[in-house]
Amino acid sequence: MHSWTDTLRFAFQPVVNLTTGGVAALEILARPEAGDILAEARRDPELDRDLAVLAFRAAVRKETLLPLHVNVFAGTLADLGGLAALHDAVREAGRLPWEITVDIGPPYTHVPQRALLEAVTALRRQGFRISADGVGDGDVPLRLLTDLSPELVKLDASLLARPAAVRAMRTLGDELGALLAVEGVETESQCTAALTAGAQLAQGELFAPPARLPAADVYVPPRSPGIVPAPRSGPPVRQFVRPAALLPAHASAGQVRALLTGSPDVSGVLLVDPAGVPVRSVHRSRFLLTMSGRYGHALYADRPAAKLGDPPRTVGIDATAWEVLDVVAVGGRDRTSDDVAVVDGRGRCVGVVRLADLVRALAESRVEEAAGLNPLTRLPGSDAITGEVDRRIAAGRAFALSWLDVDRFKQVNDGAGFAAGDELIRSVGQALQRAASGATRVGHIGGDDFLVLTDPDGLGPLAAAVLDAPWAAGGRPVTLSLATVVCAPGSVGDHRQAAAVLAPLKKAAKALRGASWVLGRAGLPGHEILRGSEGAPVAS
């Protein structure tokens, strides 16, 4: 080894879970007293490998239970075909490979991609997790990123100035089953931007600077009112995952007790088999109560801890928070406070979730959702729809945005009364909800105006549900007008452009007699009249 290893030190920077506010892992960073060791390691794969091993051993000496991130250059993996020395060091230290994430960093230029992918496959076979580092500030090709299929994608904080790009990466991460992290977060506004754009993890000076000792506490700014993470179809469990305290299935009760008494923040221990699959769950309070009872230590200290554990409760990494609550609801009430183990496709434990985190987040989401609902129809307002429009644009998905309203609604209110008008609006909203399916989103933006977002092939049934129905208010027949813009990928840049294209289509629909439907396509001139006939303009 080079002489610089005598003066090389390592620092630890927390990777923070933005949902729970806890430390999800520690990244180990080389800190030489002199020279640019990283530049040298970029040219020397064996040196880079040795740095990864030294970094891991530095963490072992600190006796941290947290998952670890170890950095390595893409070229190193391609040249060496993996990191056998790191695997040996992990095994010797008694840690589990799936507690270690290998952060693969740029440059990728001139790196043989097939050799890199084969090395990553070898790492995964050994149990390591994979992170794509430096995305947005490096040279990682998008196709290679999808081929790597990492468990974590790390974005440079500079990308927060382009929130659409961050949202697009979140969508890609969801498709790949990867979490999204932002590195280099230094201000509260950057933290807010990361959270709003959909990032689940972050690290940077704001939370905790790199330090010689692993940080026990980090600063996470309180979430500002109205700041809501990019909504998904149910909160994914992966954003609530905390590090798990793992011990081998054959661990003694004395070993579990030592771990719990030395780590007051650990709420329980999972006993895992050699493959990392949870076999027993040891709850902190119940275990310590048994051990502290009369003759408890004498009776159990040298016996297998599994005797004092319970069958583990598990959910898959792709589960939603609601599915976790279903798991918690099954069984005795005495286990409602137990951690739920989160497992990957091989059944290996990747962490735990706590009931308190889920209940708090779900309660907040319900309050935020309720605040945005129209009090008359209980449908979300325009922000929910336009936000989803932007996400579909960022994901490169085709969509149809429709504007529906009641013809001559002022005359309806004046003639039939506002109560009849309100009942009509509620009925129209209910009809839209019943017709909505799959990816369709319905919003009530005020008065008699509704926004509907759907896939282009879902337009027909939706239009028929509201335009073919006989509508009336106070015994007076009523018709509806529908305007739709179909947006192909790349045809509009954001929801504002989509709304600008939709506005003249609404005007064209109101110029027709009877129930009307006008359809246009973003970027193309003209429109189709699918319902209604030419005649005197219809007053709104």
Side-chain angles (χ1 to χ4, degrees):
M1 295 293 291
H2 300 331
S3 59
W4 49 256
T5 58
D6 296 332
T7 58
L8 182 64
R9 299 291 182 267
F10 291 92
F12 303 88
Q13 185 168 47
V15 180
V16 176
N17 185 315
L18 293 176
T19 300
T20 66
V23 179
L26 293 172
E27 181 174 355
I28 316 167
L29 305 169
R31 289 290 185 265
E33 293 184 3
D36 189 350
I37 188 62
L38 294 182
E40 192 172 345
R42 189 179 295 118
R43 298 187 295 267
D44 186 343
E46 293 184 353
L47 172 58
D48 193 30
R49 174 203 61 199
D50 293 342
L51 270 178
V53 173
L54 287 172
F56 170 75
R57 287 177 173 158
V60 170
R61 288 195 294 272
K62 302 300 181 183
E63 298 183 343
T64 176
L65 296 173
L66 288 166
L68 304 172
H69 285 230
V70 177
N71 293 284
V72 68
F73 290 110
T76 296
L77 292 178
D79 284 348
L80 301 182
L83 295 172
L86 178 62
H87 185 255
D88 291 342
V90 170
R91 187 170 51 191
E92 291 168 6
R95 293 294 297 259
L96 301 170
W98 42 93
E99 297 178 281
I100 316 299
T101 297
V102 178
D103 283 5
I104 305 175
Y108 289 86
T109 304
H110 308 308
V111 173
Q113 293 193 8
R114 173 172 289 185
L116 174 59
L117 292 174
E118 289 175 352
V120 168
T121 298
L123 288 173
R124 281 208 169 95
R125 261 198 310 264
Q126 293 171 331
F128 292 110
R129 301 190 182 282
I130 303 300
S131 167
D133 202 355
V135 175
D137 191 43
D139 60 344
V140 55
L142 187 58
R143 185 175 67 180
L144 176 60
L145 182 61
T146 58
D147 289 342
L148 286 172
S149 191
E151 283 78 19
L152 177 64
V153 175
K154 287 189 173 183
L155 303 182
D156 186 81
S158 62
L159 212 58
L160 292 174
R162 300 168 178 82
V166 181
R167 289 194 296 268
M169 291 305 303
R170 169 64 193 266
T171 300
L172 177 60
D174 287 348
E175 292 290 330
L176 297 176
L179 292 174
L180 186 67
V182 177
E183 296 182 289
V185 174
E186 297 180 350
T187 66
E188 293 194 8
S189 61
Q190 285 182 320
C191 180
T192 297
L195 186 64
T196 304
Q200 296 116 326
L201 304 172
Q203 58 189 119
E205 295 280 341
L206 174 68
F207 310 105
R212 295 293 172 87
L213 294 175
D217 298 304
V218 293
Y219 169 73
V220 179
R223 188 177 298 177
S224 302
I227 298 300
V228 185
R232 303 283 151 184
S233 56
V237 72
R238 65 179 67 241
Q239 73 185 46
F240 300 99
V241 173
R242 291 176 176 266
L246 305 177
L247 284 176
H250 56 74
S252 69
Q255 289 174 294
V256 171
R257 184 177 184 276
L259 189 157
L260 291 175
T261 54
S263 308
D265 293 334
V266 172
S267 55
V269 176
L270 288 172
L271 306 179
V272 296
D273 68 12
V277 176
V279 294
R280 299 294 280 179
S281 173
V282 179
H283 184 268
R284 179 187 188 91
S285 298
R286 293 197 300 273
F287 175 84
L288 292 179
L289 184 62
T290 300
M291 290 291 288
S292 61
R294 191 176 185 183
Y295 309 123
H297 189 273
L299 287 173
Y300 298 111
D302 296 326
R303 297 182 64 185
K307 299 285 187 182
L308 299 178
D310 300 288
R313 291 175 165 178
T314 62
V315 295
I317 189 64
D318 295 321
T320 67
W322 295 109
E323 291 175 279
V324 179
L325 293 185
D326 290 339
V327 170
V328 172
V330 175
R333 292 185 179 181
D334 61 326
R335 296 199 62 193
T336 54
S337 62
D338 287 20
D339 292 341
V340 176
V342 181
V343 298
D344 62 14
R346 300 182 185 179
R348 302 176 304 185
C349 180
V350 300
V352 296
V353 290
R354 294 179 180 175
L355 181 62
D357 290 336
L358 300 182
V359 171
R360 180 170 54 251
L362 292 174
E364 289 174 354
S365 69
R366 286 303 193 203
V367 171
E368 291 161 349
E369 180 184 340
L373 296 181
N374 186 285
L376 181 61
T377 58
R378 309 304 294 167
L379 289 171
S382 60
D383 287 349
I385 305 300
T386 55
E388 181 62 22
V389 168
D390 284 338
R391 281 185 287 279
R392 296 194 189 189
I393 291 172
R397 291 176 56 184
F399 64 90
L401 183 63
S402 299
W403 190 327
L404 176 78
D405 71 351
V406 178
D407 297 330
R408 301 185 179 89
F409 185 64
K410 186 177 185 304
Q411 295 180 25
V412 172
N413 268 346
D414 290 345
F418 71 88
D422 285 353
E423 182 59 34
L424 173 64
I425 295 302
R426 275 193 291 267
S427 298
V428 172
Q430 290 167 1
L432 288 171
Q433 283 182 293
R434 287 194 299 269
S437 61
T440 300
R441 301 288 182 268
V442 179
H444 182 191
I445 60 177
D448 62 322
D449 292 314
F450 295 86
L451 275 182
V452 183
L453 175 65
T454 187
D455 292 333
D457 58 5
L459 284 171
L462 187 74
V466 291
L467 297 182
D468 290 346
W471 297 103
R476 300 165 181 258
V478 173
T479 58
L480 308 181
S481 293
L482 180 66
T484 299
V485 59
V486 176
C487 300
S491 61
V492 291
D494 59 20
H495 72 270
R496 296 176 184 83
Q497 292 183 19
V501 179
L502 184 58
L505 298 176
K506 179 192 177 186
K507 185 177 180 180
K510 302 298 288 186
L512 301 174
R513 287 187 299 177
S516 61
W517 183 17
V518 166
L519 184 143
R521 299 182 184 277
L524 298 178
H527 60 263
E528 301 175 65
I529 298 176
L530 302 179
R531 298 283 185 96
S533 57
E534 302 287 350
V538 177
S540 179

